[in-house]
Amino acid sequence: MEDKKANILPESCPMIGGNDSYNYAHNSRYQKGAVDAVKEMINEAIAEKLDIENLTLASLNPFRIADLGCSVGPNTFIAVQYIIEAIELKCQAQGLNSCIPEFQVFFNDLVTNDFNKLFASLPADRRYFAVGMPGSFYGRLFPKASLHFVHSSYALPRLSKVPEEVVDINSPAWNKEKIHYRTATKEVVEAYSAQYAKDMESFLSARAQELVCGGLMALVIATIPNGTLYSKDTMVELLGYCLREMANMGLISEAKVDSFNLPLYIPSHKELETVVERNGYFSIERMNPLNHQMKQTTPSVQMSVLHLRAGIGGLVKEHFGSEIIDEVFDRLTKKVAESSFILNPENRKEIDLFIILKRKSN
Amino acid sequence: MEDKKANILPESCPMIGGNDSYNYAHNSRYQKGAVDAVKEMINEAIAEKLDIENLTLASLNPFRIADLGCSVGPNTFIAVQYIIEAIELKCQAQGLNSCIPEFQVFFNDLVTNDFNKLFASLPADRRYFAVGMPGSFYGRLFPKASLHFVHSSYALPRLSKVPEEVVDINSPAWNKEKIHYRTATKEVVEAYSAQYAKDMESFLSARAQELVCGGLMALVIATIPNGTLYSKDTMVELLGYCLREMANMGLISEAKVDSFNLPLYIPSHKELETVVERNGYFSIERMNPLNHQMKQTTPSVQMSVLHLRAGIGGLVKEHFGSEIIDEVFDRLTKKVAESSFILNPENRKEIDLFIILKRKSN
């Protein structure tokens, strides 16, 4: 099952807020590249797939949009702006100029997200009513049939939790010494894969209740081609190496390293299609690779590590304590700098997919 | 016009969040008393005035509630709980058991409110979808006809801003040396009164657009009986005295004291009725004095000053700087302790009103 291991590149990390220089707002250029790349795709999807006239009859006004896993901005604001402009454009194109709805936008992230920062940086010239919605998108967040459009960009590699087996010392899937499934045993990979399938089923079932029939969901999800083989030279692998090194030096406990696993998962295309089809509430209207500019460039070592830290620094801090976090990422920076492999764009195996799902009629 | 001056008691102060011991969550026992006192009134208002069956036909599901000026809890959660229980009770009484709607609750306060704290303390067992809505309730906050019930408790003495004339050195309404209209000139009182009327018109017009026809608004507002005469012994008056004393000692600048005015206003019953009637979008369904238990008790000096600080400490800090705030309130504590008048419940002139307004049909 070695071929099922995924290569978590920094761009696939979930986002965290906060006020320090390691936060997402400061280190989200890669995602910004993706947001720009999806602009045209969102435009096309709304032009071709959103049935404005029928939705109008049901409950188009106000038009409710949710961004799931929004972090603290600014990319969430840019994405929302693109969605609203595309809908306005469509209304105009259909001669429904006078019927352009009011927009209400729900910015969602975990309750630990810095919503104060998000609210303080809301664009002053926004043409929508903005609200913050704290909570896990693996559960219900919104009333039934109350949303028209859901957007989520790079939030879905984050699992609802680390699979229990991989931190259970008595389980065959115990992931000793490692912090992820990538180079782990078959049992660990299967535990992660099962958790992913379960989480996605929860995600899709919750959204199926919340979206009106005909409502759209635009997702940007990092995936790996089916059957990909991976090198061990990835940043997450090196991070695990740094942690073990620090345990060997007695700076952190070995047991702590053994019990630390990242709740992240990059599915294959096939896995993703399978969970959507098994769920049954959505049709896949579009599934395109997203080739944005930043994908072809070689990022600097420092920027890459900052990016990873923005994504998972909080998890490391929570598990190991804040006093060691600088040293962990300093060590990682040195290790990444020594590798000519990791940051070379030619060695990236992931493909970011832009996906449009449509809520089927009941 | 001396008789028009209002007596701002600590209980009428707007609320602030934050993590220190001076915040609202720690010092809101008076409001909690009021929340308990309105429970029965909310029950009755919903039983008698909320036309569930007609609202159902329009857009009852989900039932959307907004609490305006929510601060960081916990009183906002208690009030919301009472409202939801009353609606469920009414549905059951009408045999609409199977039609109990889902509830979506919008917690609103200024963007400077600590929404992170609010979200972290949301009741785990809540039976509603909770969202945070940052912004001033003197402007539009929600899409048209998207709310069924609005609640606001003790938030409406806070004006949208200090009337410009009272801080304009060239205006006849310049409020030199004083920090409020209470013992000020006729011109100052009129400037505050005009600002209040303007703000309430904005408040009511915004809500008129946001509430469905037949939707209710439950407000708890501190008022003064028409033509009330006031003593100068109030906490806000003493606070002004402390600030002038500190200016005389050179601890703060005189100009700073001259330019500091509290954006708070307590209307008379008549004024309140007049703004609602002039606005025209709402019928006054109920307007009852609220006699809650805390009203009859003599609060401790320390508790009263803490309460005032929770309400307006942020304004004092913003204007004079954080380094002097402890001294200001230490001085105030001494002054209040020297007065036998201020905390005696018999000398309270304010009457808290519980008001139910109903959105008229267009």
Side-chain angles (χ1 to χ4, degrees):
Chain A
M1 290 290 284
E2 283 293 301
D3 58 343
K4 275 214 172 176
K5 287 167 197 159
N7 176 9
I8 303 285
L9 280 167
E11 59 264 36
S12 314
C13 288
M15 309 145 195
I16 56 161
N19 282 315
D20 59 34
S21 60
Y22 306 113
N23 74 17
Y24 170 73
H26 288 133
N27 300 293
S28 52
R29 282 201 304 181
Y30 184 93
Q31 275 93 343
K32 170 69 167 66
V35 169
D36 288 341
V38 300
K39 181 177 182 179
E40 269 316 297
M41 290 185 172
I42 282 180
N43 252 332
E44 278 174 35
I46 285 173
E48 292 165 19
K49 308 291 183 184
L50 187 69
D51 189 354
I52 293 258
E53 284 184 344
N54 277 339
L55 281 176
T56 306
L57 294 175
S59 62
L60 185 67
N61 207 341
F63 193 97
R64 293 194 175 88
I65 298 166
D67 185 44
L68 307 182
C70 63
S71 186
V72 295
N75 290 344
T76 183
F77 305 132
I78 300 168
V80 160
Q81 194 53 35
Y82 290 163
I83 294 165
I84 290 176
E85 282 170 6
I87 295 166
E88 288 175 340
L89 208 64
K90 174 153 187 164
C91 288
Q92 283 158 3
Q94 296 200 351
L96 298 169
N97 234 343
S98 61
C99 303
I100 291 176
E102 292 187 319
F103 295 93
Q104 190 173 34
V105 179
F106 295 79
F107 293 99
N108 157 261
D109 213 315
L110 293 175
V111 71
T112 48
N113 186 50
D114 190 346
F115 282 95
N116 290 346
K117 188 178 170 78
L118 176 83
F119 288 165
S121 53
L122 278 164
D125 60 348
R126 66 190 182 276
R127 298 196 301 276
Y128 53 86
F129 300 105
V131 286
M133 168 76 238
S136 163
F137 49 54
Y138 291 120
R140 281 285 302 282
L141 294 168
F142 302 96
K144 280 178 198 152
S146 69
L147 293 177
H148 302 90
F149 199 101
V150 168
H151 175 263
S152 185
S153 185
Y154 292 109
L156 278 168
R158 180 139 186 178
L159 301 173
S160 68
K161 61 176 184 180
V162 171
E164 282 162 22
E165 309 92 295
V166 307
V167 286
D168 176 1
I169 194 165
N170 297 315
S171 163
W174 183 41
N175 199 18
K176 183 171 164 55
E177 289 190 352
K178 297 200 175 290
I179 66 167
H180 202 246
Y181 63 91
R182 219 186 52 78
T183 54
T185 63
K186 176 184 163 189
E187 287 80 4
V188 173
V189 175
E190 283 175 353
Y192 266 89
S193 173
Q195 185 66 48
Y196 177 75
K198 200 173 152 192
D199 281 346
M200 280 302 288
E201 173 58 28
S202 303
F203 177 85
L204 293 168
S205 292
R207 300 300 87 73
Q209 291 194 66
E210 297 163 358
L211 270 160
V212 299
C213 291
L216 298 185
M217 185 141 67
L219 307 173
V220 179
I221 298 181
T223 60
I224 49 165
N226 303 327
T228 303
L229 285 169
Y230 280 100
S231 150
K232 291 187 179 186
D233 286 316
T234 67
M235 287 192 38
V236 164
E237 199 65 20
L238 283 190
L239 178 65
Y241 181 85
C242 293
L243 289 168
R244 288 196 301 279
E245 198 175 56
M246 287 173 73
N248 291 340
M249 295 170 71
L251 298 172
I252 49 179
S253 87
E254 264 185 50
K256 275 267 179 197
V257 178
D258 287 345
S259 64
F260 182 64
N261 277 262
L262 289 169
L264 303 174
Y265 188 79
I266 306 295
S268 69
H269 298 193
K270 182 78 195 140
E271 265 180 302
L272 189 55
E273 277 177 359
T274 304
V275 292
V276 175
E277 279 159 16
R278 191 185 298 142
N279 171 267
Y281 287 109
F282 293 92
S283 56
I284 300 175
E285 300 287 328
R286 180 168 289 203
M287 204 178 231
N288 294 345
L290 195 67
N291 285 314
H292 57 83
Q293 230 177 357
M294 297 285 287
K295 199 91 187 171
Q296 277 82 48
T297 60
T298 303
S300 75
V301 171
Q302 200 169 17
M303 190 50 72
S304 302
V305 175
L306 276 176
H307 200 117
L308 185 74
R309 183 164 179 170
I312 63 168
L315 294 166
V316 177
K317 197 151 124 181
E318 198 182 302
H319 192 83
F320 294 100
S322 56
E323 60 283 355
I324 62 109
I325 182 125
D326 283 336
E327 176 153 2
V328 171
F329 284 95
D330 286 349
R331 281 170 184 269
L332 180 63
T333 305
K334 281 182 201 133
K335 290 271 179 296
V336 173
E338 287 163 11
S339 161
S340 59
F341 184 91
I342 289 186
L343 301 181
N344 185 342
E346 285 176 18
N347 297 321
R348 288 190 192 148
K349 298 294 197 312
E350 288 180 27
I351 294 173
D352 299 339
L353 286 186
F354 174 76
I355 304 160
I356 290 284
L357 302 180
K358 188 175 199 163
R359 175 70 169 90
K360 295 179 188 170
S361 298
N362 281 322
Chain B
M1 293 288 285
E2 282 294 302
D3 56 343
K4 277 215 170 175
K5 287 167 198 160
N7 175 11
I8 304 284
L9 280 167
E11 60 264 35
S12 315
C13 288
M15 308 143 196
I16 55 159
N19 282 315
D20 59 34
S21 59
Y22 305 113
N23 73 18
Y24 170 73
H26 288 132
N27 300 295
S28 52
R29 283 201 304 183
Y30 184 94
Q31 275 94 342
K32 170 70 168 65
V35 169
D36 288 341
V38 299
K39 182 178 182 178
E40 269 317 297
M41 290 185 174
I42 282 179
N43 252 332
E44 278 173 34
I46 285 173
E48 292 165 19
K49 307 292 183 184
L50 187 68
D51 190 353
I52 293 256
E53 284 184 342
N54 278 339
L55 282 177
T56 307
L57 295 175
S59 61
L60 185 67
N61 208 342
F63 193 97
R64 293 194 174 88
I65 298 166
D67 185 44
L68 307 182
C70 63
S71 187
V72 295
N75 289 344
T76 183
F77 305 131
I78 301 168
V80 161
Q81 195 52 35
Y82 290 163
I83 294 165
I84 289 176
E85 282 169 6
I87 294 166
E88 288 175 339
L89 209 64
K90 173 151 189 168
C91 287
Q92 284 157 1
Q94 297 200 352
L96 298 169
N97 234 344
S98 61
C99 304
I100 291 176
E102 291 186 320
F103 295 94
Q104 190 173 34
V105 180
F106 295 80
F107 293 99
N108 157 262
D109 212 315
L110 294 175
V111 71
T112 48
N113 186 50
D114 190 347
F115 282 94
N116 290 346
K117 189 178 169 79
L118 175 83
F119 289 163
S121 54
L122 279 164
D125 61 348
R126 66 191 182 276
R127 296 197 302 277
Y128 53 86
F129 300 104
V131 284
M133 168 76 238
S136 163
F137 49 54
Y138 291 120
R140 282 285 302 283
L141 293 168
F142 302 95
K144 280 179 198 152
S146 68
L147 293 177
H148 302 91
F149 199 99
V150 168
H151 176 263
S152 185
S153 185
Y154 293 110
L156 277 167
R158 179 137 186 180
L159 301 174
S160 67
K161 60 176 184 180
V162 171
E164 282 162 21
E165 310 91 293
V166 307
V167 286
D168 175 0
I169 195 166
N170 297 315
S171 163
W174 184 41
N175 199 19
K176 182 170 164 54
E177 289 190 352
K178 297 199 176 289
I179 66 166
H180 201 246
Y181 64 91
R182 220 186 52 77
T183 55
T185 62
K186 176 186 164 189
E187 287 79 7
V188 173
V189 175
E190 284 175 351
Y192 266 89
S193 174
Q195 184 67 46
Y196 177 76
K198 200 173 150 191
D199 280 346
M200 281 302 287
E201 173 58 27
S202 303
F203 177 85
L204 293 168
S205 293
R207 299 300 87 71
Q209 291 194 66
E210 296 162 357
L211 270 160
V212 299
C213 290
L216 297 184
M217 184 140 69
L219 307 173
V220 179
I221 298 181
T223 60
I224 50 165
N226 304 327
T228 304
L229 285 170
Y230 279 100
S231 150
K232 293 189 179 186
D233 286 318
T234 67
M235 286 190 42
V236 164
E237 199 64 20
L238 283 190
L239 177 65
Y241 181 85
C242 293
L243 289 169
R244 288 197 299 279
E245 200 175 55
M246 286 174 74
N248 291 340
M249 294 170 73
L251 298 172
I252 48 178
S253 87
E254 263 184 52
K256 276 265 179 199
V257 178
D258 288 344
S259 63
F260 182 64
N261 277 262
L262 289 168
L264 303 173
Y265 188 80
I266 305 296
S268 69
H269 298 193
K270 183 77 195 141
E271 265 180 301
L272 189 54
E273 278 176 358
T274 304
V275 291
V276 175
E277 280 159 14
R278 193 184 297 143
N279 171 267
Y281 286 109
F282 294 92
S283 56
I284 299 174
E285 300 287 329
R286 180 167 289 203
M287 204 178 230
N288 293 346
L290 195 68
N291 285 314
H292 57 84
Q293 230 177 358
M294 297 286 284
K295 199 90 187 171
Q296 278 83 49
T297 60
T298 302
S300 75
V301 171
Q302 200 167 17
M303 190 50 71
S304 302
V305 175
L306 275 178
H307 200 117
L308 185 73
R309 184 165 178 170
I312 63 167
L315 294 167
V316 177
K317 198 151 120 180
E318 198 182 304
H319 191 83
F320 293 101
S322 56
E323 60 283 355
I324 62 108
I325 185 126
D326 283 338
E327 176 152 3
V328 171
F329 285 97
D330 285 350
R331 282 171 182 269
L332 180 63
T333 305
K334 282 182 200 134
K335 291 269 179 297
V336 173
E338 287 162 10
S339 161
S340 59
F341 184 91
I342 289 186
L343 300 181
N344 186 343
E346 287 176 16
N347 297 322
R348 288 192 191 146
K349 298 294 196 310
E350 289 180 27
I351 295 174
D352 298 339
L353 287 186
F354 174 76
I355 304 162
I356 289 284
L357 302 181
K358 189 176 198 163
R359 176 68 169 91
K360 294 179 187 172
S361 299
N362 281 322

